[in-house]
Amino acid sequence: MDFDLTGIDGQPIDPKSLQGKAVLVVNVASKCGLTPQYEGLEALQKKYGSERFTVLGVPANQFAGQEPGTPEEIQQFCSTKYGVSFPLTEKLEVNGPRQHPLYKQLTAFADADGKAGEVEWNFEKFLVSPAGDVVARFRPTVAPDDQQVTGAIEKVLSA
Amino acid sequence: MSEQLKTSEVKVGDKLLSKDGTELTVTRIDPTFLTFDGMMAFVEDSDQQWFKMPAKIDSEVTVLSRG
């Protein structure tokens, strides 16, 4: 992924930390009905996280304002409540006029129903291959432990 | 001055107040929301902002001004 990204701590995310890895990019929020998906995302990180895979959480506040906190509050929530060990970016816009370039690339990719375009809600998931190609898109209600997600991760890791 | 209106009365151009305090001018009304029964969504997709506010069908929402 060839984008300048800033971490939730305000420091640049070293591009080398993502290069050569499969990355599951997920826009996250702390006050959403789907927020417990953090548990499943952390489980993926624990199961597959190594030199070849990581979840990348992207806090976004465009969905009913369900990610209103400061970076410190978001970070504390994630680590205290869900023990999140995967990296989080700074708060980004994933749709609209200030859409981050990362999401311009991601949202051009269609889901299993052939639908591309805007992120529907919190916890939409995009799988990026180690080569940097978007290879799968899962809508928010597809749980992290769904076979669609784990199967796609395993496929891309075995390629 | 705000008023409470049924979701079915909201039109494109109306300005709504989301529960989090965000004001959005509706540019699109989605009749469904994800896979949840009985839900819909109001969206502002404009040069100013992109913001989505889901609502229960037939619930009331706060309208700040009519479009």
Side-chain angles (χ1 to χ4, degrees):
Chain A
M1 297 203 299
D2 192 21
F3 300 101
D4 290 332
L5 292 169
T6 300
I8 192 80
D9 60 358
Q11 300 300 309
I13 293 177
D14 183 354
K16 290 178 183 171
S17 69
L18 301 176
Q19 280 172 3
K21 290 183 179 180
V23 182
L24 189 69
V25 185
V26 188
N27 57 296
V28 295
S30 303
K31 296 181 181 295
C32 177
L34 300 178
T35 299
Q37 285 196 13
Y38 263 124
E39 194 173 334
L41 294 172
E42 180 59 22
L44 292 179
Q45 184 72 12
K46 287 222 167 24
K47 183 174 182 180
Y48 301 110
S50 66
E51 294 180 357
R52 299 201 60 215
F53 175 81
T54 188
V55 176
L56 178 65
V58 179
N61 196 41
Q62 294 181 284
F63 304 99
Q66 293 183 336
E67 188 67 297
T70 64
E72 293 77 16
E73 289 167 338
I74 295 168
Q75 201 166 21
Q76 184 171 13
F77 173 83
C78 290
S79 60
T80 305
K81 178 110 176 159
Y82 293 103
V84 166
S85 62
F86 53 81
L88 297 169
T89 70
E90 63 181 339
K91 207 181 285 189
L92 297 181
E93 299 209 2
V94 299
N95 288 329
R98 289 177 292 279
Q99 183 183 44
H100 189 277
L102 168 63
Y103 271 84
K104 284 195 193 304
Q105 177 182 350
L106 294 176
T107 56
F109 193 85
D111 63 13
D113 294 327
K115 186 179 175 191
E118 68 189 28
V119 175
E120 284 189 338
W121 192 246
N122 303 307
F123 292 91
E124 190 147 329
K125 304 152 195 77
F126 296 88
L127 182 61
V128 181
S129 74
D133 300 317
V134 187
V135 293
R137 177 176 188 167
F138 307 101
R139 295 296 180 177
T141 54
V142 179
D145 64 351
D146 190 292
Q147 198 278 330
Q148 294 175 71
V149 179
T150 56
I153 292 170
E154 289 171 10
K155 183 178 177 185
V156 79
L157 288 177
S158 65
Chain B
M1 185 145 171
S2 66
E3 58 183 326
Q4 298 294 118
L5 289 180
K6 289 271 193 188
T7 54
S8 58
E9 298 177 275
V10 175
K11 307 292 184 196
V12 168
D14 291 347
K15 181 180 278 191
L16 307 183
L17 180 64
S18 175
K19 286 178 183 172
D20 74 306
T22 300
E23 297 179 5
L24 65 152
T25 300
V26 177
T27 61
R28 191 179 85 221
I29 299 173
D30 291 348
T32 59
F33 173 65
L34 299 177
T35 56
F36 303 134
D37 290 337
M39 296 287 291
M40 59 179 297
F42 299 104
V43 178
E44 176 175 348
D45 184 2
S46 71
D47 291 342
Q48 278 68 51
Q49 69 171 349
W50 192 101
F51 192 86
K52 180 181 272 192
M53 183 186 110
K56 286 183 183 172
I57 293 172
D58 292 332
S59 65
E60 290 191 335
V61 294
T62 302
V63 179
L64 298 173
S65 62
R66 304 308 302 266

